[in-house]
Structure formats: C-alpha cells, structure tokens
Amino acid sequence: MALFESFGISASGMTANRFWSDLVANNVANIHSSGTPGDPTNQPYRRQVPVFAEMLRQQTGAALPNAAEMPGKGVQVTQLINVDNEPLLVHDPGHPDADPETGYVAYPNINILNEMVSLIAASRAYQSNVTVLESAKSMALAALEMGR
C-alpha cells in the first residue's frame, strides 16, 4: 500500500463520518417537526441513516473472487435511507398541523438516545481515522528523516 493511499483512505473515512454526524444533527434538529396524520402532503420528518460501502468493491464489483484480498480505497456513503417508523401521534387539537377530525398531530418517531449513540459512534470513528492519518504522517516524516 502506498503511503498516499493511506492518507486517502483516512480522508474518506473522515468525510463519511462527518456526513454521518451531520445527519444525526439533522435528525435531532427535526425531532419536533410536525405533520398531519394521514395527509401525504404534510408528513412529519423521517429519520435519515447513511449506508456506507467500500470504494473498491463499488468500483470493481463484489463478484471478483479475490475482492477480499485486494486493498481497499476507503469508504463512502452510497445511500441515504429514510427510516419508515410509524409517526408519534400526540393529541393537540389547537396545533396548526392537527388533523381536523381527530385532533392528533404526527411527530417523527426519533429516539434522542439512539441519535446520541450514533453521534458518539460517528465521533469515535472520525477520531480513529484522524489517529491513522497522524500515524501515517509520522511514519512518512520518519522515512524522510532516514533518507537525509
């Protein structure tokens, strides 16, 4: 593996995990976004989750017999999934988004604890990629010092 490939792999991991952190922040920010139950034009916000994939398998296809032996090229977000949980219904007849017949308002069914766990996982993964990048940089500098 070339030295600069490790920089690229770490950078792709940091980019993917930063995107994951942004998604978690977006989910938390929209936790109180409301909608009208049964109205397809005014649905509540849906939790978004990223799907990660190795860049090598995406570029060459997973059908290669020795794909697991080939070095990776990093990770990227290939898909963004809107989770279809049932919305949380709250009886609030005075709310502007309340159903005129039942008085219920639909809120996204987002669990703040799950979002915090996802944010911690994304943060730890980002830190791990930073550590790998720093180690690769230290090794490159040590190799340059030996060449002097």
Side-chain angles (χ1 to χ4, degrees):
M1 174 185 307
L3 177 66
F4 293 112
E5 287 182 15
S6 64
F7 291 163
I9 291 170
S10 296
S12 71
M14 289 189 289
T15 301
N17 289 302
R18 187 190 68 214
F19 183 74
W20 188 13
S21 297
D22 291 344
L23 278 181
V24 170
N26 195 30
N27 290 338
V28 171
N30 286 298
I31 202 165
H32 296 293
S33 299
S34 62
T36 303
D39 185 4
T41 61
N42 188 15
Q43 292 292 313
Y45 176 80
R46 292 184 179 170
R47 180 176 183 246
Q48 295 178 328
V49 178
V51 175
F52 299 106
E54 296 175 46
M55 291 169 69
L56 180 62
R57 286 191 183 169
Q58 185 183 39
Q59 292 172 354
T60 60
L64 292 175
N66 58 355
E69 298 173 1
M70 299 177 73
K73 297 289 184 188
V75 66
Q76 72 180 41
V77 176
T78 57
Q79 189 177 8
L80 191 60
I81 296 177
N82 289 324
V83 178
D84 285 333
N85 286 344
E86 287 293 319
L88 184 65
L89 297 178
V90 176
H91 190 258
D92 187 6
H95 194 279
D97 287 332
D99 187 0
E101 296 176 7
T102 62
Y104 281 100
V105 179
Y107 288 99
N109 197 356
I110 297 174
N111 185 338
I112 190 71
L113 295 178
N114 288 342
E115 296 304 315
M116 290 298 109
V117 169
S118 294
L119 186 59
I120 290 170
S123 175
R124 297 286 184 196
Y126 186 90
Q127 290 172 348
S128 297
N129 283 299
V130 169
T131 301
V132 169
L133 183 66
E134 290 293 328
S135 296
K137 187 175 85 177
S138 297
M139 287 190 289
L141 288 175
L144 287 174
E145 288 296 322
M146 289 188 334
R148 284 185 181 189

